[in-house]
Amino acid sequence: MSKLTPVTRGRYAGKRWRRSKNFGFASQVSTVPVATVELSQAAMVLPLGFIETAGFYSLVAILSLVPNRNMFVAPDGRWLCGHIPALLRCYPFRIIRQPGTEDDILCTDEDYKLAAEGDQDGVDFFDQNGNLAPALKTACDFLVQVEGSLRGTQAGVAALAAAGVMRPWKIQIKTEQGFDKTVDGLHAIDEAALAGLGDEAILNVHKAGGLPIAYAQLLSMGNLNIFKDLSKYQTSLAAPVPDTLDQLFKIRGDDEVIRFN
């Protein structure tokens, strides 16, 4: 999902794209950025955390505790949870800001298979006048909102990091061989540090939009427990996929193997 190419008339005029019928394309995505516009829905069902790259933190939905695996995608491509992250709903498109400018460009995953000639499921990139075709224009407008929200999210996350309320989030899981394994690379809000911020620091975080992000991340941490149930569904192809979220979040016993601190 990382080989993005600008959608230009010269490259895509006369070509068509296919709407994804399932989420098989995301089966190896273990984290995905989350925007504030979807924060309340995501925090209810997905574990959220922060990842750090070159000193910058990003808010992400945690889709698996192992690399290159998405536990929320069933073997047949169905999504196994009540909220689908916005960027996955947008696939294969993404809005990218050109470096050093304020210009945003619509891009598509070049590895995504285009519709063959005569494919009835195909959707035009451009209309006869050279403008974005209606379906793609709708997708583009949605992406503009999502990307704008992601930038606001980044400002809030940066304020939280500057306030010093991030901490490494070490998660222990039980391997198939029965050994404990620590999952590194994720960060969480330090609730005590957040509560201890002075008036000026908390005001700065508030102005940047960081407080809703912090509270949502803390609230979502208990959602890590869902991976045990998801693992059962993934390893038993014959098991029916639950029709309701209540079934997926069933009452659990005392044999949990996921622990976090």
Side-chain angles (χ1 to χ4, degrees):
M1 295 174 59
S2 60
K3 193 175 182 180
L4 297 173
T5 302
V7 176
T8 62
R9 285 187 290 270
R11 190 177 187 91
Y12 289 101
K15 293 183 179 180
R16 314 185 83 199
W17 57 282
R18 298 185 65 185
R19 291 187 176 92
S20 297
K21 295 183 178 179
N22 58 53
F23 291 89
F25 65 85
S27 62
Q28 296 183 343
V29 178
S30 55
T31 63
V32 64
V34 170
T36 50
V37 70
E38 60 179 328
L39 194 57
S40 59
Q41 296 94 338
M44 294 300 294
V45 292
L46 299 170
L48 306 180
F50 304 95
I51 56 175
E52 182 266 331
T53 305
F56 293 93
Y57 291 86
S58 300
L59 176 68
V60 298
I62 303 165
L63 306 178
S64 176
L65 294 176
V66 295
N68 304 317
R69 180 77 186 275
N70 187 342
M71 295 299 293
F72 289 91
V73 176
D76 62 2
R78 284 178 291 176
W79 190 264
L80 300 179
C81 158
H83 177 74
I84 303 167
L87 286 182
L88 298 184
R89 283 181 273 154
C90 299
Y91 187 79
F93 300 104
R94 183 84 189 260
I95 294 287
I96 300 296
R97 176 156 291 183
Q98 293 182 305
T101 75
E102 296 294 317
D103 297 329
D104 294 331
I105 54 176
L106 177 65
C107 297
T108 186
D109 185 350
E110 195 174 49
D111 290 335
Y112 186 74
K113 188 176 181 180
L114 298 179
E117 186 175 350
D119 188 336
Q120 297 300 313
D121 293 331
V123 183
D124 292 326
F125 279 89
F126 295 93
D127 61 20
Q128 294 180 344
N129 297 319
N131 301 313
L132 289 179
L136 186 52
K137 177 64 166 59
T138 298
C140 184
D141 291 343
F142 176 70
L143 272 168
V144 169
Q145 295 179 28
V146 171
E147 292 294 340
S149 182
L150 281 171
R151 289 175 190 136
T153 306
Q154 190 58 45
V157 171
L160 289 167
V165 298
M166 299 280 193
R167 64 173 173 84
W169 185 10
K170 294 185 181 297
I171 304 166
Q172 281 196 322
I173 61 174
K174 190 80 72 177
T175 67
E176 294 180 355
Q177 293 75 28
F179 299 107
D180 284 339
K181 178 182 179 181
T182 300
V183 178
D184 294 312
L186 293 169
H187 293 74
I189 294 296
D190 185 327
E191 190 170 5
L194 180 66
L197 289 179
D199 292 345
E200 183 177 354
I202 200 71
L203 181 60
N204 289 336
V205 171
H206 168 67
K207 287 182 175 179
L211 288 181
I213 296 171
Y215 297 139
Q217 194 278 318
L218 287 168
L219 174 67
S220 77
M221 291 172 73
N223 293 336
L224 276 181
N225 293 322
I226 197 175
F227 286 122
K228 181 181 179 183
D229 288 337
L230 289 173
S231 180
K232 291 179 181 178
Y233 290 120
Q234 295 286 4
T235 56
S236 179
L237 300 182
V241 175
D243 295 325
T244 67
L245 197 60
D246 289 339
Q247 287 177 271
L248 194 54
F249 283 92
K250 63 185 180 181
I251 297 175
R252 298 172 174 84
D254 296 328
D255 59 341
E256 289 293 342
V257 295
I258 296 177
R259 300 185 296 277
F260 50 97
N261 49 30

